[in-house]
Amino acid sequence: MFAYIIRRLLFIAPTLFAIMMINFVIVQFVPGGPVERILAELEGTAVGATARVAGSGSDVQSAGESLYRGAQGLPDGFVEKLEKMYGLDKPPVERFLLMMENYLTFDFGESAFRSRSVVDLIIEKMPVSISLGLWTTLVVYIVSIPLGIAKARRDGSAFDVWTSGTIILGYAIPGFLFAILLVVLFAGGSYWKLFPLRGLVSPGFEDMSTLGQIADYFWHLALPLTALIIGSFATLTMLTKNSFIDQIRSQYVTTARAKGLSERRVLYGHVFRNGMLIIIAGFPGAIIGILFTGALLIEIIFSLDGLGLLGYEAAIDRDYPVMFATLYIFTLLGLVLNLVGDLMYVIVDPRIDFESRDVG
């Protein structure tokens, strides 16, 4: 097992490098960039000022047509200085290799437009995303796994049919649409104002008692968590049900029953370990999906300043340091969690041996 772990760890480096390189190449062909964004903002300001001076009608049009950067008294070499400031004066290959060299030591530089360290930004936004991701994952797994097992045991019954209809209905409703409905109904949109709409804590949170802080924290989390988990039950519940049904119908279960073992002993002594393997395999992906991608629109709707919102704003603003740093961290975390998922396989079923398998 130790040799397998070493091979997987060594495999992480080229995989991470390839993912970063592909995204870096794609960005080179995307129109715009930090320099273009700054010039566009300056041009917009200059247009307004020139338009006011030039008057109206044809004078404004002629003034607008003459607003090329060189016609506005922009200092010589201004664009070159901007490119140097953002590191865009170097060839793309050199920029990429320098970036990866810095990333090896987790030196992500500063945000192009926030004048702050990228690491500080990520650390600042992390608690929001971790809160949403961990609590969503915890609630979904606590509900879905027992529900899936119960459905497998009662396959085809009225309980199975009604619960399937309910969770599929929840799955069919987009999370962001359900979030808007919750805002309209319970956050002062049109009806009741029972829950807050902004942030994870209230003003004066530090002055509250411990119980008050806990209550305030979950009060703010109630609506975002509900919106996130409403559509998350279906996949895991049905996956659990189908996995356990496959095991229940296996020959070894028939043999165990023939030996006189109780249903509880058969289910939790034999079926559970095998049935949980496929669920464990999907756990790392579920964590990554919920933590860093699934909460983007929820963070926007409920004004939660987390990593999803940070990545979205970085992409819109062409804030390359934040874009590539978050991509690097998320990809590295995803690769490590996949390895953790394999190790959990062995913990659940020691009979699994990865030593005889290739890394791929």
Side-chain angles (χ1 to χ4, degrees):
M1 188 64 189
F2 180 75
Y4 173 77
I5 295 175
I6 296 299
R7 290 200 304 270
R8 283 294 300 269
L9 289 175
L10 293 176
F11 188 68
I12 286 176
T15 304
L16 183 60
F17 184 86
I19 291 173
M20 295 297 296
M21 182 176 64
I22 291 172
N23 283 272
F24 185 86
V25 171
I26 292 174
V27 166
Q28 304 311 305
F29 294 98
V30 175
V35 174
E36 288 81 357
R37 179 176 180 270
I38 290 177
L39 294 180
E41 290 181 353
L42 291 175
E43 181 176 297
T45 304
V47 168
T50 308
R52 285 192 293 271
V53 173
S56 59
S58 60
D59 293 335
V60 172
Q61 182 178 0
S62 61
E65 291 173 351
S66 66
L67 286 176
Y68 181 69
R69 300 273 23 112
Q72 298 183 47
L74 202 63
D76 294 336
F78 180 74
V79 174
E80 288 76 10
K81 290 181 180 178
L82 284 178
E83 290 179 342
K84 184 176 181 180
M85 181 174 67
Y86 292 115
L88 300 175
D89 58 327
K90 301 180 179 65
V93 174
E94 184 180 347
R95 295 206 313 268
F96 175 72
L97 294 177
L98 180 61
M99 180 183 74
M100 293 306 297
E101 180 183 347
N102 292 332
Y103 282 11
L104 288 176
T105 58
F106 293 93
D107 178 9
F108 300 117
E110 290 192 357
S111 167
F113 300 107
R114 298 174 185 253
S115 299
R116 293 186 58 190
S117 165
V118 174
V119 173
D120 290 342
L121 281 173
I122 292 175
I123 292 175
E124 178 184 318
K125 314 299 182 184
M126 188 72 78
V128 174
S129 294
I130 289 179
S131 293
L132 290 175
L134 290 183
W135 285 114
T136 300
T137 304
L138 182 63
V139 172
V140 168
Y141 270 73
I142 286 177
V143 174
S144 294
I145 292 178
L147 180 59
I149 295 173
K151 287 171 64 63
R153 295 180 62 185
R154 306 176 190 178
D155 184 37
S157 66
F159 170 80
D160 181 38
V161 173
W162 281 103
T163 53
S164 293
T166 302
I167 62 175
I168 290 174
L169 177 63
Y171 183 75
I173 302 175
F176 72 90
L177 190 60
F178 192 72
I180 294 174
L181 176 63
L182 292 176
V183 170
V184 171
L185 292 178
F186 303 113
S190 297
Y191 294 91
W192 305 281
K193 186 172 178 56
L194 303 178
F195 296 94
L197 189 57
R198 183 179 298 275
L200 276 183
V201 294
S202 301
F205 179 81
E206 296 79 6
D207 300 328
M208 299 179 184
S209 64
T210 302
L211 290 178
Q213 289 180 342
I214 294 174
D216 183 75
Y217 171 71
F218 284 105
W219 185 45
H220 283 76
L221 272 181
L223 295 187
L225 277 184
T226 303
L228 275 174
I229 67 177
I230 192 66
S232 302
F233 291 122
T235 302
L236 185 58
T237 301
M238 300 309 294
L239 180 65
T240 304
K241 175 191 172 182
N242 294 332
S243 177
F244 274 76
I245 284 179
D246 289 340
Q247 296 299 322
I248 289 173
R249 294 173 179 173
S250 299
Q251 184 62 43
Y252 75 89
V253 174
T254 304
T255 303
R257 287 171 174 166
K259 291 181 177 179
L261 296 180
S262 66
E263 282 296 314
R264 183 179 182 85
R265 178 73 180 275
V266 170
L267 181 63
Y268 293 103
H270 296 78
V271 174
F272 185 82
R273 183 174 62 182
N274 296 324
M276 285 296 293
L277 288 177
I278 191 172
I279 300 168
I280 291 172
F283 184 76
I287 285 285
I288 291 294
I290 294 174
L291 239 133
F292 302 122
T293 59
L296 171 59
L297 291 176
I298 302 301
E299 289 181 7
I300 296 174
I301 292 172
F302 290 99
S303 301
L304 299 174
D305 196 8
L307 289 174
L309 186 58
L310 175 66
Y312 172 76
E313 291 176 347
I316 295 298
D317 293 338
R318 302 293 194 272
D319 195 342
Y320 293 154
V322 176
M323 285 174 55
F324 286 113
T326 52
L327 174 66
Y328 182 87
I329 292 174
F330 297 164
T331 303
L332 179 60
L333 185 59
L335 293 171
V336 171
L337 285 178
N338 280 327
L339 175 58
V340 172
D342 286 347
L343 298 180
M344 292 176 68
Y345 264 130
V346 179
I347 293 174
V348 174
D349 190 350
R351 295 172 299 175
I352 295 178
D353 181 18
F354 287 106
E355 292 292 345
S356 59
R357 297 176 57 192
D358 293 330
V359 175

